Amino acid sequence: MYITSPRCVARIRSSYGAGQSTSRTWHRFLASQGTRLTRSQHHLSAASPTTRPAQRGSVVTIPPVCKYQSSRHYIAVSKTQSPRNIAVIGGGLTGLTTAWYLTRLLPKAKITIFDARENLGGWIDTVKHEVETPDGRKGTVLFERAARMVKPQPSAPTKVPKWDDLVFYDLVTKLNLTDQLMSSKQADETVLGFIYYPDHLVPIPIVFIKPFIDPIGTLKSLANLASALTEPVFRDFIPAIISIFRTKDPYRMDMFKGRTDMSVGDYFASRFGGPGLVDKVLSAVIHGVTGGDVWKMSMGSGGLADQLVPRDGLPITKTPVRMADYEMMVQLAADKAVFNLASKHLESGALWFRDGFSTLGNALAKALKANPNVTVKSNEPVTEIRYIDSLDQPFFTQVSSKSGTQRYDKVVSTIYAKCLHEIATPKLPSLASSEAVTIMLVNLWYPVPHANFPHNGFGYLIPQATPYSQNPECLLGVIFDSDREFPLPTPTNPKPTNRGADTLQGTKLTVMMGGHYWDSLPPTSLPTPQEAIEQAKRAVARHLKFSPELSDAAHGSAKLCTDCIPQHLVGHAARMRAAHGELEWGFKGRLAVAGQSYQSPGVLSMLRAGRDVAMQIAGRQVISRQRADGDGDAGGHGGGEIEMAPWTVGDTGLERFTRPPVIQAMEKALLPLRYNSGAIVDESGCVVPRVGGAG
């Protein structure tokens, strides 16, 4: 055995010499780079929230922390006394996941879910739309008016491995949704997608270099790459690569330690030697995922923060791993059904449900409503959350809604951070400056299959550098839903079947409009749903060269999602540290937060956040230390003190922002479900490597 878990003592060879603890190992590694890893020092006041384009190259310095911030400002309740009465504010995916895991971890606890909407599920919304072809055939198609799929988290050389997708697999197996799960293979994808710049679609090639396995495929891949580099959108690519290798990175370590922060755009412009590739490519990726401005989004806290984790000096056989992520993987992968489902989809590029992504939210809601210890209060927004300290029952939180006032041992808020600030007593000023973008989602269905040919694949994104004349509608991107559900034949899938629930085959698209482009617009200036449909039709016809007759035959539906994606702007981590202190002072550990206002956006992050806070409340998310003594095993792996530090969220949900994560350099061969390692987790929670090593 090689891996330490709560249920076994196994041996991990130290990253840089046997017998070193995780902490000492990591300090030694950073010392070799001329620096030391220390706990970040931050002040309780929020840092500047944004970096404007005019301030490109600027760095926000995080002030020192108040000496009291690292101290707990209340007497912690014994973990043997789990909360018996819990309220979850918000019935979106994060709230439902939190409540569902609480029912499994604390089966005797009473749980109340408050949601302002009639139907649970938050922004996840699948609707049936009646359509008709020009020749009179009628049918129904499913329109996804929010998230429609998830992408599994395969390993890549430049990334820190994650296993958040195991939470998704855990829910799918426990809720009996395996038969509903659909997938597409990465091998079936000829391109990663398209970028529209300056006036046409440019494919993003998949680089496939396996000359001994597939020489013809390798030659085609290189030819596609060479062709892409001649396009204006990629002309800054080679100079950017040269700049990365020729210049040092003066910002990475300070951001990794939390001493400074800067925008994603500023950071990569400094690495690329200019803003060209940022404006033409990276901006499209950022607002395609978050709806945000690449020149405002935080590099230190966003989805690209893994690029800051030091890797210098690591052999190719090792990779940095956050021990919180590793510990979660060990817990979930010990379930054979979860492990088998994850193994089945290691090569999948996307996962969705045949009857729409609302399938997951509906299944969670159904399971919770069937539980006698769960009360669901729909169409009942919370008007106040107040901390009460009484002599007879200290430390509880009072929740007020239209049905009255109730008291709870613990409250978890999963709603937008600014809304929480408005209803919290005492107030949480660090959350008052939270921002979110508004997006108009337009679903279009054309009565002609594969009308977007030859531009088939995931869809296309529109970078900020695209001229206004080519994007006056403020589109962020377009998703080719029908290509995912009913793709073109490929060598590995010569006879594709319908992987959706549409009764008529056609070309189905989702158009994303607005986002940061609408930040300065008043609500009265935004298009109505019908106006948005017409604008989307015009834009798609211009981009994909659709005829006026085809556009006129399209069916459309639009939904305005106000403040739907919270933004992690520059200084986000500092504001979350400040909010952690405010929650401790004001609510004494009785109010926790989770959701997209705090974690990175995306379905997998929301599910992970719900599980994390439920584990914390149940007392399962703790730091464990075990020691592997002895002279080493037969494989030559020496003993040493091992520190397993799960990415604890603390009583506030934000405690992880107060300290750097524990990171261990680990052998890829010992990482199940990643790097083709072949390692497994047995039922006792121990990792068993593949005999003979990774293949």
Side-chain angles (χ1 to χ4, degrees):
M1 300 303 174
Y2 293 84
I3 304 302
T4 301
S5 80
R7 288 165 291 187
C8 70
V9 177
R11 302 181 181 179
I12 303 178
R13 189 173 185 175
S14 174
S15 308
Y16 296 92
Q20 301 295 324
S21 70
T22 301
S23 178
R24 291 198 302 272
T25 297
W26 197 238
H27 277 273
R28 176 180 291 184
F29 170 58
L30 291 179
S32 69
Q33 309 303 310
T35 186
R36 292 186 304 164
L37 180 61
T38 58
R39 180 171 297 181
S40 305
Q41 300 293 313
H42 299 275
H43 194 268
L44 284 175
S45 61
S48 174
T50 62
T51 299
R52 301 291 178 183
Q55 300 172 321
R56 292 181 184 180
S58 61
V59 179
V60 173
T61 301
I62 309 301
V65 71
C66 167
K67 66 179 181 179
Y68 299 109
Q69 184 172 333
S70 60
S71 303
R72 178 169 285 163
H73 310 300
Y74 56 91
I75 301 174
V77 177
S78 170
K79 288 303 179 183
T80 60
Q81 300 175 4
S82 300
R84 293 174 294 180
N85 198 9
I86 306 170
V88 177
I89 313 301
L93 273 187
T94 306
L96 293 176
T97 303
T98 301
W100 186 82
Y101 274 108
L102 284 171
T103 62
R104 299 179 67 85
L105 297 168
L106 299 173
K108 295 182 180 180
K110 301 292 184 182
I111 300 170
T112 304
I113 303 172
F114 292 86
D115 195 76
R117 297 183 177 91
E118 182 65 31
N119 298 318
L120 299 178
W123 291 113
I124 306 298
D125 185 17
T126 306
V127 297
K128 282 189 176 182
H129 191 82
E130 302 294 330
V131 296
E132 184 176 355
T133 63
D135 59 4
R137 291 182 295 124
K138 296 182 179 180
T140 61
V141 296
L142 294 185
F143 282 163
E144 296 281 15
R145 303 200 289 184
R148 69 215 53 239
M149 62 184 178
V150 298
K151 282 187 169 291
Q153 298 176 311
S155 57
T158 59
K159 293 182 179 179
V160 178
K162 293 182 179 180
W163 290 271
D164 290 0
D165 51 355
L166 294 186
V167 183
F168 175 76
Y169 296 131
D170 189 37
L171 293 173
V172 169
T173 57
K174 301 299 189 302
L175 296 170
N176 299 317
L177 301 178
T178 306
D179 292 341
Q180 271 281 322
L181 194 62
M182 300 287 108
S183 66
S184 61
K185 296 292 184 182
Q186 288 179 311
D188 293 337
E189 300 174 3
T190 57
V191 295
L192 292 173
F194 300 86
I195 291 181
Y196 186 83
Y197 179 86
D199 58 359
H200 62 282
L201 292 181
V202 179
I204 306 174
I206 293 178
V207 180
F208 179 84
I209 303 178
K210 294 184 178 180
F212 300 107
I213 299 175
D214 186 358
I216 296 178
T218 299
L219 290 175
K220 288 182 178 180
S221 174
L222 293 175
N224 292 337
L225 177 61
S227 176
L229 293 179
T230 64
E231 290 283 347
V233 69
F234 291 121
R235 282 180 183 169
D236 296 298
F237 181 78
I238 292 179
I241 296 298
I242 295 173
S243 176
I244 290 174
F245 282 101
R246 293 183 61 182
T247 61
K248 294 184 178 180
D249 186 346
Y251 306 113
R252 185 183 67 177
M253 289 308 301
D254 279 344
M255 281 196 290
F256 174 71
K257 296 178 182 180
R259 291 197 293 251
T260 61
D261 196 11
M262 63 196 304
S263 74
V264 172
D266 286 327
Y267 175 75
F268 281 100
S270 72
R271 301 296 294 128
F272 295 158
L277 203 60
V278 174
D279 282 330
K280 295 175 184 176
V281 178
L282 191 56
S283 66
V285 176
I286 293 298
H287 71 206
V289 175
T290 69
D293 185 345
V294 69
W295 300 104
K296 297 180 181 179
M297 304 298 288
S298 168
M299 181 65 196
S301 302
L304 295 175
D306 282 349
Q307 306 298 324
L308 305 174
V309 178
R311 302 180 57 93
D312 303 332
L314 278 180
I316 194 172
T317 59
K318 290 186 177 182
T319 184
V321 178
R322 286 186 175 88
M323 298 312 292
D325 297 343
Y326 182 86
E327 181 68 8
M328 184 198 70
M329 178 274 296
V330 171
Q331 295 166 0
L332 291 172
D335 187 316
K336 186 176 181 180
V338 174
F339 187 90
N340 289 343
L341 186 59
S343 299
K344 178 182 177 181
H345 291 292
L346 284 178
E347 302 300 325
S348 294
L351 300 169
W352 66 95
F353 297 102
R354 181 184 296 276
D355 291 332
F357 214 82
S358 286
T359 298
L360 179 58
N362 292 340
L364 284 167
K366 181 179 179 181
L368 289 167
K369 290 177 179 178
N371 191 314
N373 287 336
V374 177
T375 300
V376 177
K377 295 192 174 185
S378 301
N379 196 25
E380 190 159 338
V382 172
T383 56
E384 184 184 42
I385 301 176
R386 178 186 292 271
Y387 171 71
I388 303 294
D389 187 357
S390 64
L391 294 176
D392 59 330
Q393 187 184 2
F395 300 162
F396 63 86
T397 301
Q398 183 171 284
V399 175
S400 299
S401 63
K402 67 180 183 181
S403 64
T405 299
Q406 295 85 31
R407 296 177 176 180
Y408 298 93
D409 302 325
K410 185 76 176 186
V411 176
V412 181
S413 173
T414 65
I415 61 176
Y416 175 33
K418 183 176 289 187
C419 294
L420 174 61
H421 162 75
E422 294 170 353
I423 63 175
T425 303
K427 296 298 183 183
L428 304 169
S430 295
L431 301 183
S433 59
S434 301
E435 296 186 23
V437 295
T438 294
I439 292 179
M440 181 76 79
L441 286 173
V442 179
N443 303 105
L444 299 175
W445 183 85
Y446 300 83
V448 177
H450 301 296
N452 53 310
F453 183 82
H455 301 106
N456 297 95
F458 175 80
Y460 64 93
L461 298 172
I462 305 177
Q464 291 176 216
T466 299
Y468 175 79
S469 60
Q470 295 297 326
N471 190 26
E473 300 86 2
C474 298
L475 266 63
L476 304 172
V478 178
I479 302 172
F480 300 156
D481 293 308
S482 52
D483 281 356
R484 170 172 49 87
E485 296 177 3
F486 201 91
L488 289 170
T490 64
T492 59
N493 189 18
K495 295 182 179 181
T497 58
N498 188 355
R499 299 178 296 197
D502 295 353
T503 61
L504 282 179
Q505 187 181 352
T507 300
K508 185 167 59 173
L509 313 176
T510 298
V511 181
M512 302 173 291
M513 304 171 61
H516 64 93
Y517 290 129
W518 289 354
D519 281 350
S520 59
L521 295 180
T524 54
S525 299
L526 302 183
T528 65
Q530 189 55 45
E531 290 172 341
I533 292 173
E534 296 304 317
Q535 291 177 14
K537 286 182 180 181
R538 289 198 301 269
V540 169
R542 185 170 65 250
H543 298 160
L544 297 177
K545 313 302 181 186
F546 284 177
S547 67
E549 294 77 16
L550 182 59
S551 295
D552 291 340
H555 292 256
S557 175
K559 178 183 179 181
L560 182 66
C561 303
T562 305
D563 292 339
C564 60
I565 304 181
Q567 301 292 282
H568 295 186
L569 305 181
V570 174
H572 174 76
R575 288 188 292 275
M576 295 303 100
R577 278 186 284 274
H580 167 73
E582 292 161 5
L583 284 165
E584 283 194 329
W585 276 105
F587 287 87
K588 307 299 187 294
R590 293 293 175 163
L591 173 61
V593 296
Q596 292 192 96
S597 288
Y598 318 99
Q599 291 83 28
S600 297
V603 170
L604 296 181
S605 293
M606 289 189 286
L607 301 181
R608 168 73 184 273
R611 181 184 185 273
D612 278 352
V613 73
M615 293 284 284
Q616 178 71 37
I617 292 171
R620 307 293 181 87
Q621 195 86 343
V622 297
I623 295 176
S624 62
R625 292 181 178 87
Q626 301 191 35
R627 183 176 179 83
D629 296 313
D631 297 328
D633 58 40
H637 294 270
E641 183 179 309
I642 305 302
E643 179 178 350
M644 298 295 294
W647 194 357
T648 176
V649 297
D651 290 331
T652 68
L654 301 176
E655 190 170 314
R656 66 185 177 280
F657 288 102
T658 67
R659 60 175 64 90
V662 176
I663 298 178
Q664 172 86 12
M666 299 186 68
E667 292 285 350
K668 295 178 181 178
L670 300 178
L671 299 179
L673 303 169
R674 297 295 179 262
Y675 302 106
N676 192 31
S677 70
I680 65 171
V681 181
D682 64 21
E683 294 181 357
S684 66
C686 294
V687 171
V688 181
R690 174 194 291 174
V691 176

